[in-house]
């Protein structure tokens, strides 16, 4: 195996890494979310199925992010619709909301929430069942031009992988196969894509690589070093492994931004909230952070603002 970087990456490192089969017109990519996933999940107590699908969506967001040709970001969003009886009682958990955002530099953030009315005697059997008839959208934003493009991904098959295989087939015009896994400890993914001249170079190559890759396990996707993973799956193949791109948590605490938002609401509205609840609480769900402001903090907001206005007139 040839590589632009010979040292093995820690299982806790988060990265995207491309590879290519030297004698086949087939390429691939491995996503490994370790420390970035741990940061994303810190303080969140999602049910097992929400954790699984949220992590798989995060891996897909990174796949799309690595393909951006311009500064910007990609957002994957699920809006679930519950399955209900005639009496209006929910039968199964649906994804109330899941959002994952990845920038062109592979900064990652997101959140998820399950719907209410769960019936644990009727567990979900696949992604379409978990979605409960909802929608899955991909939005790509170009920071340079300000343009935004959105695609609705058909909910097909029993897995996140099957949904996005169809999406990549259509958007990139390349047969694509995905293997995804996510646990509370980490998330990982493997992608293979068949390039236009694959059949000319080896008529059986694509089917053979798919068969070999299909033996990958959840644990291998989540934690096995990439060199060992590719050697285990494709022992007889010559593989060129390219340099990794770091995936990182894109969440920072920005109290000044929150203060400016509160000022825009006006003192009267904030005073009303204080009178009812005793404090103003702002929750940043995407980064799982909370900002609290008591009476004195709210007063200081507007005192600081008035000082700034007076200073600007001097």
């Amino acid at each position: 195996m040839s590589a632009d970087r010979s040292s093995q990456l820690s299982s806790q490192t988060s990265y995207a890494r491309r590879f290519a089969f030297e004698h086949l017109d087939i390429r691939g990519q491995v996503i490994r979310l370790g420390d970035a996933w741990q940061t994303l999940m810190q303080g969140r107590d999602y049910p097992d199925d929400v954790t699984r699908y949220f992590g798989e969506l995060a891996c897909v967001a990174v796949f799309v992010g690595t393909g951006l040709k311009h500064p910007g970001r990609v957002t994957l969003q699920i809006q679930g619709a519950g399955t209900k009886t005639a009496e209006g009682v929910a039968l199964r958990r649906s994804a109330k909301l899941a959002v994952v955002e990845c920038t062109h530099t592979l900064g990652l953030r997101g959140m998820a929430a399950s719907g209410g009315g769960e019936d644990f005697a009727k567990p979900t059997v696949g992604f379409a069942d978990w979605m409960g008839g909802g929608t899955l959208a991909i939005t790509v934003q170009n920071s340079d031009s300000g343009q935004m493009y959105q695609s609705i991904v058909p909910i097909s098959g029993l897995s996140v992988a099957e949904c996005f295989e169809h999406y990549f087939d259509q958007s990139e015009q390349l047969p694509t196969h995905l293997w995804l896994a996510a646990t509370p400890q980490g998330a990982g993914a493997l992608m293979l894509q068949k390039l236009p001249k694959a059949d000319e170079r080896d008529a059986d190559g694509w089917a053979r690589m798919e068969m070999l890759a299909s033996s990958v396990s959840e644990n291998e996707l989540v934690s096995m070093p990439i060199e060992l993973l590719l050697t285990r799956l494709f022992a007889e193949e010559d593989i060129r492994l390219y340099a990794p791109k770091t995936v990182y948590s894109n969440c920072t605490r920005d109290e000044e931004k929150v203060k400016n938002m509160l000022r825009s609401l006006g003192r009267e509205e904030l005073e009303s909230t204080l009178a009812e609840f005793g404090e103003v609480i702002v929750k940043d769900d995407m980064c799982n952070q909370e900002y609290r402001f008591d009476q004195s903090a709210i007063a200081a907001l507007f005192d600081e603002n008035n000082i700034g206005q007076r200073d600007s007139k001097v």
Side-chain angles (χ1 to χ4, degrees), residues 83-91 117:
T83 304
K84 299 181 180 299
T85 65
E87 292 78 22
V89 179
L91 288 175

Side-chain angles (χ1 to χ4, degrees), residues 48-60:
D48 289 345
D49 56 352
V50 177
T51 296
R52 173 188 172 189
Y53 296 130
F54 181 51
E56 292 178 352
L57 286 170
C59 289
V60 174

Side-chain angles (χ1 to χ4, degrees), residues 179 190 212-221 229 232-233:
W179 292 265
L190 169 67
L212 293 172
S214 65
S215 68
V216 72
S217 68
E218 178 183 89
N219 183 63
E220 289 172 338
L221 286 173
L229 173 66
R232 209 282 292 168
L233 294 175

Side-chain angles (χ1 to χ4, degrees), residues 40-70:
L40 192 62
M41 293 295 288
Q42 188 173 3
R44 307 182 196 263
D45 187 22
Y46 295 153
D48 289 345
D49 56 352
V50 177
T51 296
R52 173 188 172 189
Y53 296 130
F54 181 51
E56 292 178 352
L57 286 170
C59 289
V60 174
V62 175
F63 276 134
V64 181
T66 62
L68 292 178
K69 303 295 193 296
H70 51 73

Side-chain angles (χ1 to χ4, degrees), residues 248-285:
Y248 62 95
S249 170
N250 196 33
C251 284
T252 57
R253 190 169 179 84
D254 192 346
E255 193 156 334
E256 193 57 40
K257 181 179 180 180
V258 175
K259 287 180 178 180
N260 289 334
M261 181 274 292
L262 291 176
R263 290 188 186 103
S264 71
L265 294 176
R267 189 163 193 164
E268 183 177 346
E269 182 170 341
L270 297 178
E271 292 286 358
S272 176
T273 301
L274 284 169
E276 184 174 359
F277 300 104
E279 61 181 341
V280 176
I281 302 174
V282 179
K283 182 69 182 292
D284 177 1
D285 289 322

Side-chain angles (χ1 to χ4, degrees), residues 1-79:
M1 180 183 297
S2 57
D4 292 338
R5 177 174 168 178
S6 58
S7 60
Q8 291 194 355
L9 298 166
S10 164
S11 62
Q12 290 304 305
T13 305
S14 301
Y15 59 87
R17 199 164 188 184
R18 299 179 184 274
F19 63 91
F21 296 94
E22 294 279 28
H23 304 297
L24 301 170
D25 206 28
I26 297 172
R27 69 185 181 189
Q29 190 172 179
V30 170
I31 303 295
R32 180 66 47 75
L33 302 182
D35 51 2
W37 176 246
Q38 291 296 318
T39 301
L40 192 62
M41 293 295 288
Q42 188 173 3
R44 307 182 196 263
D45 187 22
Y46 295 153
D48 289 345
D49 56 352
V50 177
T51 296
R52 173 188 172 189
Y53 296 130
F54 181 51
E56 292 178 352
L57 286 170
C59 289
V60 174
V62 175
F63 276 134
V64 181
T66 62
L68 292 178
K69 303 295 193 296
H70 51 73
R73 67 190 70 239
V74 57
T75 303
L76 274 58
Q77 179 169 320
I78 289 172
Q79 185 66 57

